[in-house]
Amino acid sequence: MIPEFPALKNKWHTAQDFKMNSLMETPELPAVFDGVKLAAVAAVLYIIVRCLNLKSPTAPPDLIYQDTPLSRFLLKSCSLLTKEYIPPLIWGKSGHIQTALYGKMGRVRSPHPYGLRKYLTMSDGATATFDLFEPLAENCIREDITMVICPGIANHSEKQYIRTFVDYSQKNGYRCAVLNHLGALPTIELTSPRMFTYGCTWEFGAMVNYIRKTYPQSKLVVVGFSLGGNIVCKYLGENQTNQEGVLCCVSVCQGYSALRAQETFMQWDQCRRFYNFLMADNLKKIILSHRKFHGYSTLKEYYEQESCLHYLQKIFVPLLLVNAADDPLVHDSLLSIPKALSEKRENVMFVLPLHGGHLGFFEGAVLFPEPLTWMDKLVVQYANAICQWEKNKSQCSDTEQSSGQE
């Protein structure tokens, strides 16, 4: 009989059990790793969907206006006011990406319209410049109409988004005059100890006066982008005579109140403080050379007086105010200003698409944007409609006078 060794037998069984358990557990390890990978992929996709705002729907822009014959005519004539604005599928619903692409790229395949640079000497010795572009076709009413355009902060006629808009306007029969903000063009030296400011209308007014004297028969369409929107609205409201000969005004992506906007730029919401740093860094070289505040005693007074907020009520020509709901530079609280104005004033229409960022408004199918943006098309379409509206009014007036004489 063979003797038994309990301790050795238990060790043998333990080793065998360990090997069996290891063999049984080994196939489960890839499943664990796959689960981790799947969770990581899901997390990345969730972040992408949130950052790109892919779940946001496309819809026609929100409109706030008074029910008047003019507003009804605009809704019939401007299809973009009632159609969906559809940005590029992959990235177009992110206001940050739209804004970043506008800031870095401007526009896609931007044209190079030919213009003549004009120089105007201001009373304080400053040299204002603007570029003049003649129309390339007849406009919808075959009359002389000039778009007087004020670009965004530190911008000028050579910026890609301005070139794209000017080229499209020229092809629709408009002469274009584009202000170059004082100190913005690197090739033009400052001839006085000041640069452009948030609300100084001197240079824009000088450009408009030049157009009025040189083309006395021309009607004006006033257009301002971002900071330029503040300047053109303030200019029109400063003096009633500034609105003479003006068919309409369009302001795109402005903030309406510099004082209230300045407070929001100190917040991290929507990375607004980061954008504030980028804009300040872009202007630092110019600002360090010219530290005047145009006679204001405090920064608060400067912001308050330079804003168009106090002048909007004094504008009586048709006024189109356009902002994007996802503009990271314009806080939601600032949009209460155009909303309240358009609810009270018959000449004002406020247009608020869901997407577009700050001066982006790119269109496209999936990834690549089109050269023309929704913004370019809307401004020209609105101008065409106002021109047609004014011509119809003039014809009706002539008909009534002829009937009265008979």
Side-chain angles (χ1 to χ4, degrees):
M1 186 174 73
I2 301 174
E4 293 186 356
F5 300 94
L8 182 62
K9 183 177 180 182
N10 290 338
K11 289 182 179 180
W12 184 83
H13 280 294
T14 302
Q16 291 294 323
D17 291 343
F18 175 76
K19 290 181 179 179
M20 291 296 295
N21 291 336
S22 298
L23 290 174
M24 293 177 63
E25 291 175 357
T26 299
E28 295 181 4
L29 289 176
V32 173
F33 288 139
D34 287 344
V36 172
K37 291 179 181 178
L38 184 61
V41 171
V44 170
L45 289 176
Y46 174 77
I47 293 172
I48 291 174
V49 169
R50 287 296 301 270
C51 291
L52 298 182
N53 204 21
L54 294 177
K55 294 183 68 176
S56 177
T58 57
D62 288 339
L63 303 176
I64 302 178
Y65 59 91
Q66 298 292 302
D67 185 19
T68 64
L70 174 58
S71 63
R72 291 193 291 270
F73 180 81
L74 289 173
L75 293 178
K76 291 180 181 179
S77 304
C78 299
S79 60
L80 293 177
L81 292 175
T82 54
K83 286 173 54 179
E84 284 185 337
Y85 160 53
I86 303 178
L89 178 63
I90 299 298
W91 51 266
K93 294 180 181 180
S94 167
H96 293 288
I97 295 181
Q98 289 246 21
T99 302
L101 288 181
Y102 146 73
K104 296 298 293 184
M105 184 175 64
R107 292 292 182 261
V108 178
R109 300 190 298 276
S110 179
H112 293 268
Y114 173 77
L116 296 176
R117 182 152 294 165
K118 303 293 183 178
Y119 298 80
L120 303 173
T121 301
M122 308 298 292
S123 59
D124 65 345
T127 302
T129 68
F130 70 94
D131 287 19
L132 191 62
F133 305 86
E134 292 297 329
L136 300 177
E138 286 188 330
N139 56 55
C140 61
I141 61 173
R142 298 184 177 182
E143 294 183 8
D144 191 318
I145 303 173
T146 304
M147 282 193 176
V148 284
I149 302 165
C150 193
I153 185 169
N155 289 173
H156 44 75
S157 62
E158 297 176 10
K159 290 293 184 179
Q160 289 189 347
Y161 78 100
I162 293 294
R163 297 201 322 249
T164 299
F165 177 73
V166 165
D167 180 74
Y168 185 59
S169 300
Q170 285 181 288
K171 292 175 180 176
N172 277 269
Y174 295 97
R175 178 186 298 107
C176 294
V178 182
L179 180 69
N180 300 311
H181 284 301
L182 202 62
L185 276 172
T187 56
I188 304 296
E189 293 186 3
L190 295 176
T191 57
S192 70
R194 69 178 180 89
M195 54 174 280
F196 75 93
T197 66
Y198 180 75
C200 181
T201 61
W202 300 347
E203 291 79 46
F204 184 76
M207 180 181 75
V208 172
N209 289 337
Y210 176 93
I211 296 298
R212 284 178 169 147
K213 291 178 181 179
T214 308
Y215 308 97
Q217 302 302 318
S218 184
K219 298 293 181 65
L220 304 180
V221 172
V222 180
V223 181
F225 299 106
S226 190
L227 171 140
N230 178 76
I231 289 177
V232 299
C233 288
K234 184 171 179 282
Y235 167 77
L236 292 177
E238 283 177 338
N239 195 314
Q240 194 66 38
T241 59
N242 292 345
Q243 300 179 42
E244 293 178 0
V246 174
L247 293 174
C248 63
C249 175
V250 182
S251 165
V252 184
C253 288
Q254 72 150 305
Y256 306 99
S257 171
L259 183 61
R260 289 165 59 175
Q262 187 266 343
E263 295 170 354
T264 67
F265 270 119
M266 301 309 294
Q267 302 169 3
W268 281 107
D269 176 48
Q270 290 290 318
C271 300
R272 203 165 283 108
R273 193 161 187 168
F274 175 68
Y275 285 108
N276 187 39
F277 168 78
L278 293 179
M279 289 188 294
D281 188 62
N282 187 40
L283 293 172
K284 184 169 61 176
K285 291 182 180 179
I286 304 175
I287 293 175
L288 288 176
S289 300
H290 307 283
R291 300 182 181 182
K292 293 191 175 183
F293 282 98
H294 285 232
Y296 296 110
S297 57
T298 64
L299 189 61
K300 180 178 180 181
E301 180 186 355
Y302 165 75
Y303 282 138
E304 188 72 19
Q305 297 300 320
E306 291 280 292
S307 298
C308 71
L309 176 62
H310 307 290
Y311 299 92
L312 291 171
Q313 295 281 353
K314 301 175 183 178
I315 299 176
F316 299 98
V317 298
L319 175 60
L320 184 71
L321 303 174
V322 183
N323 288 90
D326 64 354
D327 187 338
L329 302 187
V330 180
H331 193 271
D332 289 345
S333 62
L334 298 172
L335 299 182
S336 62
I337 297 171
K339 287 178 181 178
L341 185 71
S342 56
E343 289 172 349
K344 298 176 181 177
R345 300 294 302 279
E346 292 186 352
N347 63 310
V348 182
M349 177 178 286
F350 178 48
V351 182
L352 185 68
L354 286 174
H355 312 111
H358 191 77
L359 295 181
F361 299 105
F362 292 98
E363 290 185 309
V366 179
L367 182 60
F368 299 104
E370 299 292 334
L372 274 178
T373 68
W374 179 86
M375 175 187 77
D376 301 320
K377 298 174 185 176
L378 176 65
V379 176
V380 171
Q381 197 175 85
Y382 177 82
N384 288 343
I386 292 295
C387 290
Q388 193 62 58
W389 169 261
E390 292 296 329
K391 184 174 183 179
N392 292 347
K393 279 176 39 178
S394 178
Q395 290 176 344
C396 290
S397 178
D398 292 341
T399 301
E400 291 175 358
Q401 287 181 2
S402 300
S403 301
Q405 291 175 356
E406 293 176 359

